[in-house]
């Protein structure tokens, strides 16, 4: 594997709407990000991925773009963006934007023109089909519920949207569409951003002509992944995109790739892959049910371990994954991956240790570093996210009572991760002086950045140790490139692995339970590099790990 400039870095995702509001309108903004750059630098962050901040009606919080070349006034101005890029560079930091090109907004100029003249050139920018007797071209179910086809008012024509109806899919089969997209990417890269996170990208290739797949629910619709399994040729588009944009700019790209075909992995993230890296979602998709969120199976520590190791094995000689415990589409990792009742500073630090010590590029999601947890919505009216609202309806239709349905969606709601960042114990967690667009988690009085900074043994200060260890010249090479070899893999509630470097071996031990656990080492350890407890409990080769204790040892 070729070494790349970004391999040893630490990345951080910002969801701008919920990060920091500087003008009191209740919505986070670019100036808020500029103000907090030093906070991120101090945490040890190098690469900052910012979820969409382009002009958008915010039907899907910015993942519905109406102008790729403009900043939404709610987030700021292009001058703010230029300043952000400049201020980041000053600090040796890299700005990565979100590339949403499977679809745009129905308020984008292209789509307006397509509606005005479906037969004209812009009609071919989208998938528009005539349905004479109202029979839809296929029975695919949109990710956010209902059929993927929406009628164009006053006509017998329908357009395709695999996400929300305000997110019409762009027709990648049209070379003109691809040219426009590459032009836009290059415009941003020329501006000085370091690269892109690439949204929902597997969906750009459709299995054509449109046809039905077997339905898995009473609605008669089929899940998109059946179509994706059959679609051939997404990589032709992706290589073309990389050759015209990322590669000439030596840009960083991280793909949001689901449902890829295993044999295609090298083409995605191998040395000549179309992306630098892609996210590991193996843990996030575990336990999902075709019936919906309400039917999903919670993950256990042993499942979690299996998911991580499976991904590591898959990419071992191929490339570099990006590791997360959460993002803006998922509940908080500490609420999901730590068994109920056990979520505390020890277990939070343990999860962080695993995420940072696996091979790959660690991505922190805003608030993860201070131990932010799920919020419990008291009523569905408090929820904003389109996906959660749909899953709530799915649960009701399946026969759950409103109370049960709310409980089911609370567990997985994307809004768990979208509540405002908790900066301090002041009003609205110090996020805004106005009214926050989404409810602040009431636990902000205990969990907030100011308190975490002040408290020596906080989760935040532990994350700083993790980023520092990753960059410590004495260990960086092993942590970044060392082979990952599981240790005592079948031991219940223990997640342990070696990282074997050229002349060095590290051992990561995580006791994934509240009861202590005894481990015998193969060789005595030379040095304790990290410990989420005060004392280690090591006697020669014998270790008694305390509840949720995590250790990084040099062997
Ligand atoms: O997500 C793509 C995706 O397929 C899922 O994460 C999906 O949104 C989720 O399972 C629904 O609950 C990306 C973005 O990360 C997400 O925020 C957007 O909503 C989506 O694309 C559409 O742009
Ligand atoms: Ca604002």
């Amino acid at each position: 594997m070729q070494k790349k400039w970004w391999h040893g870095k630490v990345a951080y995702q910002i969801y701008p709407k919920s990060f920091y509001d500087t003008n009191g309108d209740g919505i986070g903004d670019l100036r808020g990000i500029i103000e907090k750059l030093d906070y991120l630098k101090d945490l040890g962050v190098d690469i900052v991925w910012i979820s969409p901040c382009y002009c958008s009606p915010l039907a899907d919080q910015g993942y519905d773009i109406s102008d790729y070349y403009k900043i939404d006034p709610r987030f700021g101005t292009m001058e703010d963006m230029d300043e952000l890029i400049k201020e980041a560079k000053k600090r040796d930091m890299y700005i990565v934007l979100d590339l949403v090109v499977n679809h745009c907004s129905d308020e984008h100029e292209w789509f307006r023109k397509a509606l005005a003249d479906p037969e004209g050139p812009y009609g071919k920018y989208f998938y528009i089909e005539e349905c004479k007797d109202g029979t839809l071209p296929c029975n695919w179910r949109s990710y956010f519920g209902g059929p993927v086809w929406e009628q164009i008012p006053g006509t017998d024509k329908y357009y395709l949207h695999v996400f929300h109806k305000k997110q019409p899919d762009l027709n990648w089969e049209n070379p003109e569409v691809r040219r426009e997209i590459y032009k836009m990417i290059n415009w941003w890269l020329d501006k000085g951003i370091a690269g892109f996170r690439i949204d929902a990208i597997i969906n750009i290739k459709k299995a054509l002509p449109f046809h039905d797949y077997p339905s898995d629910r009473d609605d008669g619709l089929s899940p998109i992944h059946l179509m994706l399994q059959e679609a051939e040729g997404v990589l032709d588009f992706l290589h073309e995109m990389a050759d015209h944009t990322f590669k000439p700019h030596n840009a960083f790209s991280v793909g949001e790739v689901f449902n890829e075909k295993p044999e295609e992995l090298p083409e995605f993230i191998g040395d000549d892959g179309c992306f630098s890296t892609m996210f590991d979602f193996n843990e996030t998709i575990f336990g999902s049910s075709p019936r919906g969120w309400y039917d999903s199976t919670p993950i256990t520590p042993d499942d979690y371990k299996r998911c991580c190791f499976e991904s590591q094995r898959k990419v071992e000689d191929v490339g570099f994954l990006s590791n997360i415990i959460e993002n803006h589409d998922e509940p908080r990792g500490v609420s999901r991956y730590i068994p109920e009742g056990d979520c505390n500073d020890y277990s939070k630090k343990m999860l962080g240790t695993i995420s940072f010590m696996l091979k790959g590029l660690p991505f922190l999601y805003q608030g993860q570093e201070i131990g932010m947890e799920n919020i419990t919505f008291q009523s569905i009216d408090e929820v904003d996210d389109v996906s959660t609202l749909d899953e709530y309806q799915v649960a009701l239709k399946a026969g759950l009572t409103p109370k049960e349905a709310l409980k089911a969606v609370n567990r997985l709601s994307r809004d768990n991760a979208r509540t405002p960042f908790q900066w301090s114990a002041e009003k609205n967690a110090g996020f805004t002086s106005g009214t926050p667009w989404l409810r602040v988690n009431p636990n902000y009085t205990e969990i907030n950045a100011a308190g975490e900074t002040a408290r020596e043994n906080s989760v935040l200060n532990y994350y700083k140790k993790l980023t520092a260890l990753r960059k410590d010249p004495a260990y960086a090479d092993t942590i970044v490139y060392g082979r990952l070899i599981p240790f005592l893999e079948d031991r219940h509630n223990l997640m342990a692995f070696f990282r074997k470097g050229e002349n060095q071996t590290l051992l990561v031990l995580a006791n994934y339970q509240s009861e202590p656990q005894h481990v015998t080492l193969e060789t005595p350890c030379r040095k304790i590099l990290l410990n989420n407890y005060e004392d280690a409990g090591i006697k020669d080769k014998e270790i008694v790990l305390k509840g949720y204790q995590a250790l990084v040892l040099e062997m």
Side-chain angles (χ1 to χ4, degrees):
M1 193 176 65
Q2 283 164 22
K3 296 196 172 179
K4 300 279 166 61
W5 64 267
W6 51 270
H7 280 162
K9 305 291 190 209
V10 172
Y12 187 96
Q13 179 191 355
I14 289 182
Y15 197 66
K17 201 174 180 188
S18 306
F19 190 58
Y20 187 52
D21 174 26
T22 57
N23 64 351
D25 64 356
I27 294 177
D29 40 55
L30 294 182
R31 300 223 64 83
I33 302 178
I34 297 172
E35 275 191 38
K36 297 297 181 185
L37 277 179
D38 286 326
Y39 165 83
L40 297 176
K41 182 75 191 170
D42 189 47
L43 172 58
V45 170
D46 310 291
I47 298 175
V48 181
W49 153 33
I50 304 172
S51 277
C53 52
Y54 321 91
C55 272
S56 163
L58 304 189
D60 187 19
Q61 302 308 351
Y63 284 90
D64 47 323
I65 299 172
S66 54
D67 190 337
Y68 289 94
Y69 294 94
K70 289 208 176 87
I71 301 297
D72 193 286
R74 283 165 286 195
F75 293 128
T77 63
M78 195 55 82
E79 286 70 47
D80 295 335
M81 177 55 84
D82 289 332
E83 190 178 324
L84 174 59
I85 296 170
K86 205 173 91 202
E87 288 299 318
K89 281 198 178 138
K90 259 196 218 162
R91 293 167 176 80
D92 282 323
M93 293 164 87
Y94 305 81
I95 299 295
V96 166
L97 294 186
D98 213 308
L99 185 66
V100 189
V101 286
N102 172 69
H103 45 266
C104 58
S105 161
D106 65 339
E107 297 183 29
H108 193 287
E109 189 192 1
W110 295 336
F111 194 69
R112 289 179 196 267
K113 288 183 176 164
L115 286 191
D117 179 13
E119 305 299 333
Y122 287 96
K124 299 192 177 52
Y125 271 49
F126 300 92
Y127 294 97
I128 297 178
E129 298 282 314
E130 210 168 65
C131 311
K132 280 258 181 287
D133 54 356
T135 315
L136 301 179
C138 64
N139 72 341
W140 308 350
R141 182 188 304 114
S142 118
Y143 286 104
F144 296 149
V148 295
W149 296 100
E150 183 71 18
Q151 190 165 16
I152 301 181
T155 71
D156 56 5
K157 294 190 166 59
Y158 286 69
Y159 68 89
L160 175 90
H161 60 91
V162 303
F163 291 94
H164 196 263
K165 66 175 182 213
K166 283 184 72 62
Q167 296 170 302
D169 281 49
L170 286 161
N171 183 357
W172 274 70
E173 306 294 336
N174 180 351
E176 217 171 294
V177 168
R178 305 207 298 275
R179 261 198 303 278
E180 281 292 339
I181 291 172
Y182 305 157
K183 190 177 93 188
M184 178 271 291
I185 297 175
N186 285 326
W187 185 85
W188 276 107
L189 291 173
D190 289 339
K191 235 182 193 309
I193 65 161
F196 285 99
R197 173 264 186 183
I198 298 125
D199 185 69
I201 197 65
I202 208 84
N203 298 285
I204 63 172
K205 187 77 195 185
K206 275 76 179 169
L208 298 173
F210 295 116
H211 56 277
D212 287 2
Y213 292 90
S215 176
D216 59 351
R217 294 186 196 167
D218 296 340
D219 59 6
L221 302 174
S222 66
I224 301 276
H225 71 88
L226 295 180
M227 178 282 286
L228 294 175
Q229 257 162 36
E230 216 178 84
E232 294 285 343
V234 68
L235 280 156
D236 296 336
F237 289 155
L238 296 182
H239 283 304
E240 186 189 85
M241 172 161 78
D243 290 342
H244 283 83
T245 60
F246 309 141
K247 289 195 174 161
H249 280 90
N250 192 23
F252 170 80
S253 55
V254 49
E256 188 204 22
V257 185
F258 289 100
N259 303 105
E260 77 280 8
K261 302 177 176 114
E263 68 278 9
E264 290 177 343
L265 202 59
E267 287 212 58
F268 276 105
I269 57 166
D271 280 342
D272 279 317
C274 55
F275 296 142
S276 310
T277 170
M278 60 195 242
F279 290 109
D280 175 21
F281 291 121
N282 214 21
E283 301 79 38
T284 65
I285 59 178
F286 178 90
S288 58
S289 158
R291 293 195 189 88
W293 285 0
Y294 74 89
D295 190 47
S296 68
T297 315
I299 188 166
T300 68
D302 288 340
D303 297 326
Y304 188 81
K305 168 171 66 177
R306 261 192 300 278
C307 286
C308 290
F309 287 165
E310 193 179 88
S311 297
Q312 293 281 326
R313 287 197 174 102
K314 205 171 66 179
V315 299
E316 197 164 43
D317 299 309
V318 178
F320 224 73
L321 280 177
S322 286
N323 296 317
I324 59 163
I325 69 161
E326 65 205 36
N327 64 27
H328 67 294
D329 291 334
E330 303 296 336
R332 290 287 177 179
V334 294
S335 301
R336 181 186 204 168
Y337 300 124
I338 297 167
E340 219 176 321
D342 286 355
C343 187
N344 55 42
D345 280 6
Y346 292 116
S347 54
K348 288 176 182 180
K349 292 173 187 173
M350 181 209 72
L351 213 52
T353 311
I354 295 172
S355 182
F356 264 68
M357 294 306 294
L358 288 171
K359 190 170 179 174
L361 177 65
F363 268 80
L364 282 153
Y365 175 73
Q366 68 181 41
Q368 178 187 331
E369 76 277 20
I370 58 169
M372 279 179 67
E373 301 171 5
N374 279 358
I375 187 169
T376 306
F377 293 107
Q378 303 300 330
S379 145
I380 193 68
D381 300 334
E382 286 175 353
V383 174
D384 169 274
D385 167 35
V386 286
S387 186
T388 310
L389 295 175
D390 168 55
E391 293 288 350
Y392 179 72
Q393 292 304 325
V394 170
L396 290 181
K397 278 194 197 106
L400 275 72
T401 65
K403 209 174 148 201
E404 290 163 345
L406 185 63
K407 199 173 164 213
V409 297
N410 259 332
R411 208 157 49 85
L412 290 175
S413 175
R414 306 199 295 178
D415 275 352
N416 281 311
R418 299 176 181 186
T419 63
F421 190 102
Q422 293 159 209
W423 289 105
S424 71
E426 282 157 43
K427 189 158 179 261
N428 296 324
F431 162 72
T432 179
S433 59
T435 308
W437 73 276
L438 190 67
R439 212 181 125 202
V440 175
N441 193 320
N443 69 11
Y444 74 91
T445 46
E446 277 107 64
I447 300 176
N448 61 70
E452 290 278 307
T453 307
R455 198 159 48 85
E456 199 193 323
N457 284 326
S458 68
V459 176
L460 177 63
N461 285 321
Y462 187 81
Y463 267 106
K464 287 185 191 171
K465 289 184 192 164
L466 281 169
T467 61
L469 180 62
R470 184 171 175 83
K471 292 173 187 186
D472 182 338
Y475 302 102
D477 202 67
T478 305
I479 294 173
V480 178
Y481 296 108
R483 257 189 121 70
L484 184 140
I485 300 165
F487 176 55
L488 301 175
E489 195 175 347
D490 298 324
R491 174 82 76 86
H492 178 55
N493 287 353
L494 178 77
M495 179 145 178
F497 51 91
F498 294 103
R499 298 297 311 276
K500 284 205 195 281
E502 302 252 329
N503 309 303
Q504 189 178 60
T505 299
L506 306 182
L507 175 63
V508 180
L509 293 170
N511 180 24
Y512 214 137
Q513 59 180 18
S514 53
E515 301 77 38
Q517 174 155 207
H518 176 250
V519 171
T520 304
L521 300 176
E522 291 165 344
T523 55
C525 94
R526 288 168 200 255
K527 199 170 167 192
I528 300 167
L529 304 185
L530 218 51
N531 180 7
N532 63 350
Y533 274 82
E534 297 279 292
D535 92 283
I538 305 186
K539 278 204 190 70
D540 192 32
K541 286 195 276 184
E542 305 304 320
I543 304 185
V544 181
L545 294 165
K546 299 180 192 60
Y548 293 100
Q549 185 166 18
L551 285 169
V552 181
L553 308 175
E554 183 181 357
M555 306 308 288

